[in-house]
Amino acid sequence: MADVIAIRVNGAEHKVGAHADTPLLYILRNDLGLKGTRFGCGNGECGACYVIIEGRAVASCDTPLWSVAGKDILTIEGLGSEGGLHPLQQAFIDEQAAQCGYCASGIMMSAAALLANNPAPTDAEIRAALDKNLCRCGTHNRIVRAVQRAAVKQA
Amino acid sequence: MSSALATAPLPASLADNPRLSQWLRFVRGGTVSITPGKVELGQGIVTALAQIAAEELDVAFERIRMVPAAAPASPNEGVTSGSLSIQDSGSALRLVCAQARALLLERAAQRLGVPMAELDVDDGNIGHASGAKTDYWTLVQADERLLEREATGAAAPKSPDRYRIVGTSVPRLDIPRKAAARAGFIHDLEWPGMLYGRVVRPPRHGAVLLSCSQAKTAAIPGVAAVVRDGSFLGVVAEREEEAIRAATALAAGCVWEGGTRLPEPGEIGAFLVRQASKTTVLSEKSDPSVGKGRTVLEATYTKPFLSHGSIGPSCAAARFEGAGSLRVWTHSQGVYNLRRDLALALGLPAESVSVQHAEGAGCYGHNGADDVALDAALLARAVPGRHVKLQWMRADEFGWAPYGPAMRVQLRAALDAGGRIVDWQHEFWSSGHSSRPGRGARPTLIAANYLAKPFALLPAIDLPMPAGGAGRNSIPLYDFPNQRVVNHYIEAMPLRTSALRSLGAYANVFALESFMDELAGAADADPVEFRLRHLSDPRGRAVIEAAARMSGWRDRGRIGSGERGMGIAFAKYKNLGAYCAVVAEVEIEREVRVKRLWIAVDVGLVVNPDGVVNQIEGGAIQAASWTLKEELKFTAEGIACQGWEDYPIFRFSEVPAVDVQIVNRPDQKSVGAGEAPLGPTAAAIANGVNAALGVRVRDLPLTPERVAGAI
C-alpha cells in the first residue's frame, strides 16, 4: 500500500504517495517531473542519478524514499535553470562539455558538492571527486575544464 | 564549377529523396525548418547540418530549426552510422539549399524586375542597389509550391572561400538544454495516462519459457498487464517502480528450458579459428620483380567482445491507436529501418507504423535502441490507446544489446635487406558486424525471436568492402609490392554481434599498426620514419608528421624509459574517410596508464572545428578505455555481466590529456570524424607499452595480468 511521505526538494515541500521503499529517482522523475535526474544502472555505480542530500552527492536510484523524509534534496533543476544558470551549467555550455549529455546532470551534482567544500580544486581533486560518475562519450577533459571554469567564476 | 556539378550524380540521400520540400521549409515568422533523415546521437551532427543549411541559404544560423527525423515524414537516409552523415546528409542539404536559394533569387528578380545577377542576399533578405527588396519568406508565401520540385544538383553551392558559418565552431544546439536539465531525452517523454513497461528476459539466448506466475503477477496492485507472447514476457504498470518490482516477481516464477550455450571462456582467438567460416580473399597483389625478403615475422592479435556501455539504457515508447496503427518513439539510428522490422514482427503493414526519433544517451553503434522499441510495442499492444514507456534495466543492456564482435588477426610479413616490407599477409576471423534492422526478409529485433510465432534470428552479415565490416581497414594503406588479405567470416556465432564504433577497423588497425612497429624494430628503424618509408599518400604522411611534431617525437627520450614510453599509429578510416595519427605516452606501474594522446586528423573540409575535436577526443578516450580495460565476460552458461562492476570502463582519474590538431583541407570533401581515432589509439598505446617495457602484448585488453605475463 502506498504511504504518504513529505519530502523537501529544491526548497519546496511535497507530499508524495508511494511505497516507502520506492527509490527517490522515480519520485523525482515521475511524481515531481524533475527529469534532469536520470536512470543509469539502479545500483549506484554510474552517477547519472546523483542528487545532493545534505551537502553530499548521492545516488537517488538506490536511496529509498523513507530515508529522505524531512531532508533537503537538491536536484539539477534546483541548481539553476535556463533563466538563471548556475555557474557550472554555464561553464558546461562555455566549454561545450557534452556529447550525448546523459551523464551531465549527475556530474554537475558531484561537482557542485565538491565546489561547496573546496572552492578552488586542483585538476586531480576534480577528477577524484568525479570518479564515481561514468561518462561513455569521452568528454571527461572538457568536463574537468568546465568545473575549473565554474570554480574561478564562483571565487 | 556549376557545369561540373550539374553532370555529377546526386548524392544518394538526395537521389532517394529528391523533393526539395522534403528537406526544408520556410516558416512564416522568419525561420527555416530543416528536416534531415540523420539523427542526433550525441555526436553533434544536427548542429553541423544546421551550419551547412544556413551557409548555403545565406540566412543567420539562429533562423534554422532542426526537426528530428521521423518515418514517414522525413527523407529516408537509412541509418545514421559509419561517420557518413556529413557526407550523406551534408552534401544533400548543401545542394538542396543552394537550389532553393537560386530559385528564390530567380523569383525575386522577376518580382522586382531587375537582373538576378544584381541581387544580394543578406540573412534571407534580397536587395537591389535601386532599393528594391523582398525576402525568402515573402516569396515562398506568394508561391507555396515553390519547393515542390525535384533536386537537380545544378545550382552551384558556395565556394568554401566564401564560407562564414561552415568552418567555425558554432556552439552545439543541444548543449544548453542538456546543461539546464531540459534535455528532452526519449527517457523524459511522458503523456497523460502513460504506463511503464519492463521485460523479463530468459537466462540465456534461445531459452524457451515453460511456465510463469502470470496470474499472480497480474494481481499485484498497480500492474496493468502481464504480457506473454511465446517466450517474450513483460509487465505494464501504473508506476515505474511497480513495473520493476513486478518484473522481478515475475522473473522469480519463471521456468525456462534450453538455450544456446556460449563458448567456454578462455582463449578467444583459438575459439574463433575453430568455428566454421567462409573464406574470401579481399586483396591480392604480387610483384614478381621484388625478392622474397630476408626477415619474416609473424604475429597474432585478438580483440574480445565489447559492450556499447551507453550510460543510459535503451528506451522506447509506443502506443497502439485505433484500427491497428502503431506510433513508436525511439532513439534508433534508422527510423525507416526500425519501422520496417516493427511491421514485420507485428504483422502490420509498414504504412500503419509511424516512428519518431527522440534523443537517447550516447550511441556508438547498433545497440539496444531498436530492440527495446519492439519490446515497448509488444507491451503497448496489450493496452491499446495508452502510451507505454520502457527503459531497459542495466542488466538488460549488458545481457541483450548486440556486442562488438571478437576478432583474431594473424599477420605475416617479410622485410628485405634495406628494411622495406616486401610481402604482407593479413588474415582475420570474425562474426558479422551488422545485424541492423530493416535489411532482411525477417526482423532482427531480439523479441521477434521469442514470439509464439518466432522469427529465427538472422546471422550478423559480413558487410562488403571497400568500407567492409570485419574487413574494415584490413587492407593496408602502405605501399607493399606483395600482399594478401583474407577474410574468415564466421556466420554462426552464439553471441549476438553487430556494429560497434569503427567495426573491424579497431582490431585490424590495432594489429596492423602494432605489427608495423614490430617490423620497424626488426628493421632497426624509427617507427615514424618506417611508416613514412612505406606511405606515399601525402595526406597520410601529413598527419603522421603532424602527430610526431605535436608530441615531440624526436625528443621522446626525454620521458625516460623502463616505465614510460611513446608509441605512434596511423589509419585512414575505412581507407575512404578521415586520416588520423595518434601518439600515446604511457606509463606503467602496476597497470598501464595512458598519460597523454597527441592526435592529428584530416577530415577534409571542416564544418565545425570544435565538433571535430570533441568527436576525436571522445573516440580516442573511448578507445583507450576499450584497450586497457574492456572485455565482455561470459561463461558457457551465459553472459557474466550484470552491471558496471563486471564491465569497468575509464573513470575520470584514468583519462589521459588529449591534444587534437586538425589538418584543414578546405579543397577536399568533408568526411566524418567520430570513428577515425579508435584503431590508431589502440595501437599507439600498445606501441607505447612496447617502447616502455620492450614487451609486446597482442591480446586486448592490455590488462596488468597480460602485461606482466608478457614480461
Side-chain angles (χ1 to χ4, degrees):
Chain A
M1 279 286 85
D3 304 283
V4 176
I5 293 177
I7 57 172
R8 195 159 57 247
V9 182
N10 301 329
E13 305 282 345
H14 300 273
K15 281 199 171 66
V16 291
H19 270 285
D21 58 359
T22 299
L24 175 61
L25 173 67
Y26 301 111
I27 303 296
L28 296 173
R29 288 182 58 82
N30 302 333
D31 292 273
L32 306 185
L34 301 171
K35 305 286 192 198
T37 306
R38 306 208 164 89
F39 175 82
C41 68
N43 294 316
E45 293 175 358
C46 76
C49 67
Y50 274 15
V51 296
I52 296 178
I53 300 175
E54 306 202 317
R56 291 187 48 221
V58 299
S60 61
C61 73
D62 62 357
T63 296
L65 178 59
W66 62 262
S67 72
V68 294
K71 292 187 182 167
D72 267 314
I73 301 159
L74 181 72
T75 73
I76 183 74
E77 290 86 355
L79 208 59
S81 65
E82 274 156 307
L85 291 173
H86 184 274
L88 273 165
Q89 293 170 315
Q90 185 60 51
F92 267 63
I93 297 170
D94 294 340
E95 292 289 343
Q96 293 286 289
Q99 288 188 45
C100 80
Y102 195 88
C103 65
S105 305
I107 289 176
M108 282 189 267
M109 299 317 283
S110 286
L114 167 71
L115 294 182
N117 295 317
N118 179 357
T122 63
D123 181 280
E125 285 169 340
I126 294 170
R127 286 176 194 271
L130 301 184
D131 251 359
K132 288 182 178 166
N133 293 88
L134 297 178
C135 160
R136 183 53 157 171
C137 296
T139 321
H140 308 74
N141 294 336
R142 286 169 179 253
I143 291 169
V144 171
R145 287 200 294 274
V147 176
Q148 280 165 337
R149 181 189 275 254
V152 169
K153 220 165 169 183
Q154 274 189 327
Chain B
M1 185 163 181
S2 59
S3 61
L5 277 162
T7 57
L10 292 177
S13 278
L14 198 48
D16 293 346
N17 308 275
R19 216 162 184 72
L20 300 184
S21 59
Q22 288 180 285
W23 297 88
L24 89 163
R25 206 158 55 82
F26 290 89
V27 180
R28 199 178 297 200
T31 61
V32 187
S33 284
I34 301 291
T35 50
K38 300 285 184 178
V39 300
E40 183 61 51
L41 305 172
Q43 83 282 43
I45 190 63
V46 162
T47 305
L49 296 177
Q51 286 178 261
I52 291 171
E55 186 70 67
E56 289 302 332
L57 289 170
D58 268 324
V59 300
F61 181 77
E62 292 69 28
R63 292 193 188 273
I64 304 289
R65 301 285 179 275
M66 299 300 287
V67 180
S74 305
N76 181 354
E77 290 197 80
V79 181
T80 303
S81 65
S83 298
L84 289 168
S85 300
I86 288 281
Q87 276 157 270
D88 293 353
S89 207
S91 54
L93 274 172
R94 187 172 283 128
L95 291 175
V96 164
C97 293
Q99 187 175 345
R101 183 183 184 277
L103 275 169
L104 288 157
L105 279 177
E106 192 184 297
R107 286 299 163 92
Q110 286 165 7
R111 191 178 167 122
L112 302 177
V114 298
M116 192 173 144
E118 292 177 12
L119 292 173
D120 285 322
V121 186
D122 178 20
D123 191 16
N125 296 303
I126 303 172
H128 185 258
S130 65
K133 60 184 181 188
T134 182
D135 63 75
Y136 288 174
W137 295 270
T138 306
L139 291 167
V140 170
Q141 213 175 320
D143 179 4
E144 290 183 349
R145 308 282 306 161
L146 187 65
L147 299 177
E148 296 301 336
R149 64 182 73 206
E150 302 221 330
T152 60
K158 264 190 197 171
S159 160
D161 58 12
R162 292 178 49 225
Y163 282 165
R164 304 163 295 120
I165 301 170
V166 166
T168 65
S169 292
V170 171
R172 286 256 302 264
L173 290 165
D174 53 335
I175 291 182
R177 55 186 165 80
K178 288 173 176 174
R182 205 178 51 79
F185 285 113
I186 187 163
H187 315 81
D188 305 339
L189 298 178
E190 63 180 25
W191 296 266
M194 182 179 84
L195 298 168
Y196 296 88
R198 286 296 184 274
V199 283
V200 175
R201 296 287 186 210
R204 69 193 73 82
H205 266 294
V208 173
L209 180 60
L210 297 182
S211 67
C212 69
S213 54
Q214 201 168 334
K216 207 170 128 196
T217 306
I220 298 175
V223 172
V226 176
V227 180
R228 178 176 176 186
D229 184 336
S231 293
F232 171 82
L233 192 59
V235 294
V236 181
E238 299 288 339
R239 293 183 58 90
E240 193 163 14
E241 71 276 9
E242 287 169 348
I244 295 168
R245 267 200 299 262
T248 307
L250 188 57
C254 286
V255 180
W256 301 90
E257 186 182 67
T260 315
R261 280 181 71 82
L262 299 184
E264 291 294 337
E267 217 265 292
I268 195 74
F271 167 77
L272 293 173
V273 170
R274 279 200 308 273
Q275 305 312 300
S277 63
K278 200 174 111 192
T279 297
T280 48
V281 176
L282 300 184
S283 167
E284 197 155 29
K285 214 162 60 167
S286 76
D287 182 347
S289 72
V290 179
K292 285 277 179 210
R294 295 159 54 120
T295 313
V296 175
L297 261 64
E298 284 185 7
T300 300
Y301 302 84
T302 64
K303 174 225 150 183
F305 292 97
L306 293 175
S307 173
H308 292 257
S310 183
I311 303 304
S314 302
C315 183
R319 177 175 182 242
F320 269 86
E321 302 178 343
S325 78
L326 169 67
R327 292 195 67 185
V328 169
W329 289 261
T330 179
H331 55 113
S332 167
Q333 292 170 273
V335 287
Y336 282 91
N337 290 47
L338 173 59
R339 181 191 194 213
R340 182 186 146 123
D341 269 22
L342 285 172
L344 285 172
L346 295 163
L348 295 170
E351 299 70 44
S352 303
V353 181
S354 68
V355 177
Q356 170 70 53
H357 186 266
E359 281 184 56
C363 169
Y364 321 104
H366 177 206
N367 55 24
D370 297 294
D371 295 320
V372 73
L374 177 57
D375 293 346
L378 288 166
L379 297 186
R381 197 165 59 177
V383 285
R386 299 189 69 176
H387 292 87
V388 174
K389 185 167 74 177
L390 162 55
Q391 182 170 21
W392 277 4
M393 302 304 285
R394 176 50 56 191
D396 296 328
E397 194 73 23
F398 277 125
W400 294 88
Y403 305 109
M407 284 180 68
R408 175 181 194 269
V409 182
Q410 186 177 307
L411 290 165
R412 183 175 186 278
L415 286 163
D416 69 11
R420 284 192 72 90
I421 296 168
V422 290
D423 184 38
W424 182 272
Q425 311 270 332
H426 181 135
E427 284 187 67
F428 59 88
W429 287 258
S430 175
S431 54
H433 287 244
S434 178
S435 23
R436 287 191 186 277
R439 292 175 176 175
R442 301 201 299 266
T444 65
L445 307 169
I446 191 70
N449 190 223
Y450 293 90
L451 300 176
K453 287 185 188 159
F455 294 89
L457 275 187
L458 291 163
I461 59 169
D462 184 28
L463 293 164
M465 298 297 277
R472 188 165 291 181
N473 280 97
S474 60
I475 300 176
L477 201 66
Y478 298 108
D479 313 311
F480 301 143
N482 296 288
Q483 73 181 32
R484 189 175 149 87
V485 178
V486 179
N487 173 10
H488 301 282
Y489 165 52
I490 302 166
E491 194 175 60
M493 175 58 66
L495 288 98
R496 181 174 174 237
T497 62
S498 193
L500 175 59
R501 199 172 188 173
S502 84
L503 283 62
Y506 174 70
N508 285 318
V509 173
F510 164 67
L512 192 162
E513 286 289 304
S514 291
F515 200 48
M516 282 298 279
D517 256 40
E518 300 199 45
L519 289 157
D524 201 20
D526 173 84
V528 168
E529 191 278 317
F530 187 73
R531 283 171 173 77
L532 295 176
R533 190 186 289 180
H534 292 92
L535 187 64
S536 55
D537 185 319
R539 294 172 71 184
R541 294 177 66 90
V543 293
I544 291 174
E545 283 163 350
R549 246 188 335 268
M550 289 166 75
S551 62
W553 178 263
R554 279 197 200 138
D555 181 35
R556 68 191 182 285
R558 74 182 186 280
I559 62 167
S561 60
E563 288 169 352
R564 294 177 142 220
M566 271 165 76
I568 188 162
F570 157 77
K572 176 186 183 186
Y573 183 53
K574 299 182 191 173
N575 290 354
L576 300 166
Y579 293 83
C580 184
V582 178
V583 172
E585 179 185 331
V586 304
E587 182 176 40
I588 296 113
E589 289 176 13
R590 275 164 303 142
E591 58 191 9
V592 178
R593 303 276 297 195
V594 183
K595 305 297 286 182
R596 192 159 183 163
L597 298 169
W598 293 269
I599 305 176
V601 62
D602 167 1
V603 293
L605 169 73
V606 176
V607 176
N608 186 316
D610 189 60
V612 170
V613 171
N614 202 352
Q615 279 294 288
I616 295 289
E617 261 176 37
I621 290 168
Q622 189 172 94
S625 177
W626 291 359
T627 301
L628 295 187
K629 303 182 80 103
E630 298 183 30
E631 175 170 25
L632 180 80
K633 299 204 172 59
F634 53 84
T635 69
E637 298 304 313
I639 302 298
C641 182
Q642 298 274 314
W644 291 110
E645 303 254 307
D646 308 317
Y647 194 89
I649 62 172
F650 258 9
R651 293 183 180 276
F652 272 83
S653 55
E654 297 170 291
V655 168
V658 183
D659 292 342
V660 179
Q661 186 181 311
I662 297 173
V663 180
N664 195 12
R665 304 269 189 191
D667 56 324
Q668 301 287 337
K669 73 170 181 160
S670 301
V671 294
E675 296 171 286
L678 282 288
T681 299
I685 293 170
N687 292 340
V689 170
N690 180 258
L693 300 179
V695 300
R696 179 59 61 179
V697 187
R698 301 188 184 91
D699 298 301
L700 293 170
L702 310 179
T703 57
E705 298 73 34
R706 290 223 170 90
V707 174
I711 293 173

